[in-house]
Amino acid sequence: MDLNLTREEAAFRDEVRAFLDEKLTPELKEAGSLTTSVFTDKPWNLKWQKILHEKGWAAPAWPVEYGGTGWNEMQKYIWASECARAGTPGLSPMGLRMCAPVLMKYGTPEQKAFFLPRILAGEDYWCQGYSEPGSGSDLASLQLRAVSDGDDYVLNGSKIWTTHAHFANRMFCLVRTNTDGKPQQGITFILLEMDTPGIKVEPIITLAGEHEVNQVFFDDVRVPKANRVGPENEGWTVAKYLLEFERGGAYAAALAVGIEKIKTIASAERSDNGARLIDDPAYRAKVSDAEIAVKAMEITEHRVMSALSGGKNPGPASSMLKTRGSEMTQTIDELVVEAIAYYADVDQRPAREPGSNVEAVGPKYGLTAMPRYLNNRAATIYGGSNEIQRGIMAKLVLGL
Ligand SMILES: Cc1cc2nc3c(=O)[nH]c(=O)nc-3n(C[C@H](O)[C@H](O)[C@H](O)COP(=O)(O)OP(=O)(O)OC[C@H]3O[C@@H](n4cnc5c(N)ncnc54)[C@H](O)[C@@H]3O)c2cc1C
């Protein structure tokens, strides 16, 4: 694939840049800069989504008939790169990138007509109810029971690690509707409202001191059967389709921005002796290795993108992107923390050392380096751990 932009692509990039220059206010940029994991806090990511929605750019990956942009794969890539470069807030992927593709493929006409416009406009905020205590990697062992009762299911059990459940008004959820046969055969995919009586959300505070994940308890929670997506007991197929979208996504653009930030920070002179970390051969070698790996990631993403044109789903290639992308994310975090420590900013306060460049790479960036490092330790766990991804690649890609 030719990575040099054509005249049309360069014009599109300029249009995107002009839009971002105009719409990305300093406060939105600061919200983007303070993001320490996948998600920017809800008020900011919704504010940004509404601005994108007005322009018709909230869901570049969606088909045009549902409100997508009609961009080709290169335009989507340019968009992702320019957003990473500008430091936009990260939109929540739960509705736009995870639940929506599932509804497009498996939803009833009524479900599509009701939910998709709301997802696009940011009127609903979704969370994902897959994992349970004891059912993470072995997701098919999930136990949250849904018993049929007239037009409803009655739910009892618990979900865990539910990101942003405390903000969400809706959850897409896997429940057990049958205990006979293979575990995969008795699972059903349903949509529910978080204010339904019997639902309790308890916070889990992470090592970074943040409230992002939760445990959710269900005590005789009634969910209408009309909210089921796909047939009863066949939710495993739906669940796996969604995971391909959870695991896919573009990493390289953000990783490349990370490399530039590292270089900026590490190029500052220390106030006490004028030395620069970037002149340390051992550190410079690590940055070079990371930069080469990010370039390789970019080429891989382009290859996968080419294979996806025409609206195909990513398939097992998403496991490869997730594995490499999450590992590289952690490598970059480590290099940032090392650089910031060198300039004595590791206590997470904004840079005070006159020699440090940490503020040059983003407002309050020094505040977020350590929480980001800690939060991203989970990047190789969530969305299916990297060991599980390697198992999928061995089976489906290598045919082992
Ligand atoms: C920050 C964060 C946010 C999350 N958000 C959500 C969310 O919004 N919704 C949701 O449903 N879930 C969410 N999760 C849960 C996530 O999907 C699970 O943590 C993940 O699937 C791993 O499951 P587990 O934690 O039960 O670990 P386990 O499955 O117990 O795994 C423990 C270790 O054993 C390894 N292991 C297990 N089985 C195998 C195997 N077959 N082969 C090789 N190694 C294996 C794993 O790789 C891991 O290292 C989140 C998790 C985190 C950390």
Side-chain angles (χ1 to χ4, degrees):
M1 185 167 187
D2 183 3
L3 294 184
N4 295 322
L5 300 189
T6 62
R7 193 138 38 98
E8 291 76 26
E9 287 162 353
F12 175 73
R13 182 204 55 202
D14 293 344
E15 183 191 351
V16 167
R17 282 189 182 167
F19 170 78
L20 293 174
D21 280 349
E22 185 194 338
K23 297 293 184 184
L24 190 66
T25 59
E27 57 178 12
L28 283 166
K29 213 173 160 60
E30 181 171 312
S33 181
L34 286 173
T35 304
T36 56
S37 68
V38 177
F39 295 82
T40 304
D41 276 347
K42 180 184 173 185
W44 300 108
N45 76 43
L46 280 185
K47 195 167 180 179
W48 183 233
Q49 184 174 336
K50 291 203 163 110
I51 292 171
L52 297 180
H53 181 50
E54 272 169 28
K55 176 81 174 164
W57 286 3
W62 286 25
V64 177
E65 59 181 302
Y66 295 119
T69 54
W71 291 341
N72 61 31
E73 296 305 320
M74 193 62 187
Q75 286 176 303
K76 288 181 210 163
Y77 188 79
I78 291 170
W79 169 246
S81 306
E82 292 302 319
C83 287
R85 196 185 63 88
T88 57
L91 302 187
S92 167
M94 300 284 188
L96 285 167
R97 282 189 18 222
M98 291 161 66
C99 192
V102 160
L103 288 169
M104 288 173 202
K105 187 168 165 85
Y106 294 100
T108 61
E110 294 74 27
Q111 287 169 339
K112 289 181 197 176
F114 180 75
F115 288 115
L116 292 175
R118 297 175 63 88
I119 292 176
L120 195 60
E123 285 168 31
D124 287 324
Y125 200 79
W126 288 85
C127 63
Q128 176 188 29
Y130 271 30
S131 307
E132 296 181 9
S135 299
S137 303
D138 183 18
L139 188 59
S141 69
L142 65 93
Q143 298 291 325
L144 193 138
R145 195 78 176 99
V147 175
S148 173
D149 185 24
D151 290 336
D152 294 339
Y153 293 113
V154 180
L155 273 53
N156 281 286
S158 169
K159 293 289 172 186
I160 198 164
W161 310 120
T162 324
T163 305
H164 280 203
H166 53 307
F167 291 135
N169 65 320
R170 295 187 191 275
M171 172 189 278
F172 52 88
C173 187
L174 294 179
V175 296
R176 179 152 302 284
T177 36
N178 191 352
T179 50
D180 301 334
K182 276 172 61 180
Q184 288 84 349
Q185 282 161 359
I187 292 172
T188 299
F189 190 105
I190 56 170
L191 312 175
L192 55 86
E193 294 183 45
M194 292 298 284
D195 63 358
T196 313
I199 294 182
K200 193 166 71 167
V201 178
E202 296 276 353
I204 300 173
I205 305 302
T206 62
L207 195 57
E210 295 180 349
H211 179 195
E212 186 173 291
V213 287
N214 302 274
Q215 184 163 8
V216 184
F217 297 91
F218 296 76
D219 185 11
D220 285 336
V221 174
R222 298 192 84 87
V223 179
K225 287 181 179 167
N227 285 5
R228 191 181 68 218
V229 180
E232 187 173 283
N233 295 327
E234 290 181 28
W236 188 244
T237 309
V238 184
K240 282 195 304 186
Y241 182 73
L242 182 143
L243 284 174
E244 289 176 21
F245 292 90
E246 180 176 6
R247 289 169 188 159
Y251 286 91
L255 294 171
V257 170
I259 296 279
E260 290 313 310
K261 286 181 175 171
I262 288 166
K263 287 184 187 168
T264 304
I265 298 170
S267 298
E269 291 179 0
R270 272 178 75 129
S271 56
D272 54 351
N273 60 10
R276 303 186 325 151
L277 181 58
I278 202 71
D279 296 327
D280 170 2
Y283 187 80
R284 207 171 53 232
K286 282 191 272 187
V287 176
S288 299
D289 282 350
E291 193 166 11
I292 291 164
V294 169
K295 274 278 163 223
M297 181 86 199
E298 189 183 349
I299 305 286
T300 306
E301 281 184 359
H302 276 280
R303 255 191 311 126
V304 173
M305 254 174 14
S306 312
L308 290 185
S309 49
K312 295 191 208 87
N313 61 322
S318 61
S319 295
M320 180 175 66
L321 296 180
K322 196 263 169 178
T323 303
R324 278 310 279 153
S326 55
E327 286 171 358
M328 284 309 302
T329 301
Q330 293 179 346
T331 300
I332 289 195
D333 290 337
E334 285 160 20
L335 290 168
V336 169
V337 168
E338 194 176 338
I340 286 182
Y342 182 83
Y343 295 103
D345 288 322
V346 79
D347 60 355
Q348 304 179 31
R349 279 180 284 163
R352 290 149 293 104
E353 290 289 308
S356 166
N357 266 347
V358 71
E359 284 287 287
V361 300
K364 300 186 183 162
Y365 192 74
L367 279 174
T368 59
M370 187 52 81
R372 187 179 300 111
Y373 167 86
L374 292 170
N375 277 330
N376 282 339
R377 304 312 299 162
T380 45
I381 301 171
Y382 58 64
S385 76
N386 284 14
E387 289 77 21
I388 295 297
Q389 304 310 322
R390 288 196 165 88
I392 293 172
M393 286 185 270
K395 203 168 149 193
L396 298 180
V397 182
L398 302 176
L400 299 176

